[in-house]
Amino acid sequence: MDTFAGKTVLITGASEGIGRALALALAPHGACLALNARNAAHLEETARECAARGAQVLALPGDVSRQAECTLLASRTAQRFGRIDALVNNAGITMWSRFDAVSDFSVFERLLAVNYLGAVYLTAAALPHLRESRGLIVAVASLAGLTGVPERTGYAASKHALVGFFESLRIELRGSGVDITIVAPDFVRSELHRRAIGPDGRSLGQSPMQEPHIMTAQQCAQLIVAAMRRRRLLITSTRGRLGRCARLIAPGLVDAGAARAIRKRR
């Protein structure tokens, strides 16, 4: 995608974190933004800020884990703007718990429903429009979608599923004009961590991360904007890029690095 001016971009999880930062980053470029999240009040706030920066904005509250709502998101976006040029599958939830401490295993179903199936449902609904526009799909995954991470078993599984799905879909779409960019952020300062699900299925209520030492959502969003122009895969940290290569020759070293990152919470 060479330019965003006049292009319609549908972003999920847009009320906070990376999704909000990405919407605000794209707004000055003249994009038409369709923004989705479950929190309607926060979503409206993001929409107002994007409009103030010059974007045309449509706020679409809804839950991507429900297929019918995904169908409605795509149809309402196309109805309002006449097309869909880019779909950013960003909505997600996370967990923090050792597997042997989990007492409520419904968290694994919730993680798959939002992080994986939500992207599948919305991509299916938006794909006919993306074929027409020869558009772009962005899948916001995680480093945990490329390598194992302790205390994040369910989250890592959902992100591995997401990466596998979109790498496979990219091959199927070869020649269609539809491109796919996969984003694998390292730790990002976000409300996502404050709502992380603990072993009992309830929110932790506070971030377990050393947030002053990790990337901001705004920094991540700027990298994604650049990647949307030309990249198949964006890994946002040096350790992530090195780890991807090292895993082929020294997987134990990468495992140790992941364990150390979790211990330090950064």
Side-chain angles (χ1 to χ4, degrees):
M1 184 167 287
D2 296 326
T3 180
F4 299 105
K7 298 294 179 68
T8 298
V9 183
L10 171 55
I11 305 173
T12 64
S15 64
E16 57 190 33
I18 294 172
R20 171 184 166 84
L22 181 59
L24 292 171
L26 290 173
H29 292 274
C32 301
L33 300 176
L35 306 179
N36 159 260
R38 288 180 295 176
N39 189 314
H42 289 179
L43 185 64
E44 285 293 344
E45 181 181 343
T46 300
R48 284 194 297 270
E49 291 190 36
C50 289
R53 296 188 181 199
Q56 297 184 55
V57 188
L58 174 65
L60 296 167
D63 184 348
V64 296
S65 68
R66 299 178 179 179
Q67 186 174 4
E69 294 192 26
C70 289
T71 301
L72 188 60
L73 287 177
S75 63
R76 289 189 61 191
T77 300
Q79 182 179 25
R80 168 68 181 274
F81 296 116
R83 57 192 292 144
I84 300 176
D85 296 286
L87 166 63
V88 182
N89 289 296
N90 169 73
I93 59 175
T94 192
M95 70 173 289
W96 280 89
S97 174
R98 285 181 55 90
F99 180 70
D100 55 14
V102 173
S103 59
D104 182 356
F105 286 92
S106 68
V107 62
F108 287 83
E109 295 179 7
R110 290 159 63 190
L111 285 159
L112 285 171
V114 176
N115 296 358
Y116 171 57
L117 290 176
V120 171
Y121 295 151
L122 188 51
T123 298
L127 190 55
H129 304 286
L130 292 165
R131 286 182 183 273
E132 289 181 9
S133 65
R134 300 178 69 84
L136 174 69
I137 301 169
V138 179
V140 180
S142 168
L143 277 185
L146 304 178
T147 189
V149 180
E151 300 186 38
R152 316 293 297 284
T153 50
Y155 178 74
S158 69
K159 292 299 187 177
H160 271 75
L162 187 71
V163 171
F165 172 77
F166 280 108
E167 286 189 336
S168 301
L169 184 61
R170 180 191 285 130
I171 299 169
E172 292 186 9
L173 293 176
R174 184 178 296 171
S176 70
V178 179
D179 289 326
I180 294 177
T181 295
I182 296 173
V183 180
D186 204 322
F187 291 129
V188 173
R189 202 177 306 167
S190 170
E191 293 83 354
L192 179 76
H193 299 297
R194 298 184 183 93
R195 290 197 306 276
I197 304 169
D200 58 359
R202 293 184 292 184
S203 172
L204 295 180
Q206 61 183 9
S207 174
M209 303 302 302
Q210 295 292 327
E211 295 202 346
H213 301 286
I214 61 178
M215 178 180 287
T216 67
Q218 291 74 23
Q219 291 169 324
C220 186
Q222 290 298 332
L223 293 175
I224 294 173
V225 170
M228 289 173 71
R229 300 182 188 276
R230 62 184 182 274
R231 296 280 289 276
R232 284 169 54 103
L233 174 64
L234 168 65
I235 300 175
T236 64
S237 68
T238 300
R239 69 178 177 183
R241 292 187 290 273
L242 291 174
R244 183 167 173 81
C245 297
R247 190 159 193 82
L248 299 174
I249 55 175
L253 184 65
V254 177
D255 289 350
R260 183 169 58 252
I262 292 299
R263 284 198 306 272
K264 292 186 175 182
R265 298 295 196 255
R266 53 185 288 188

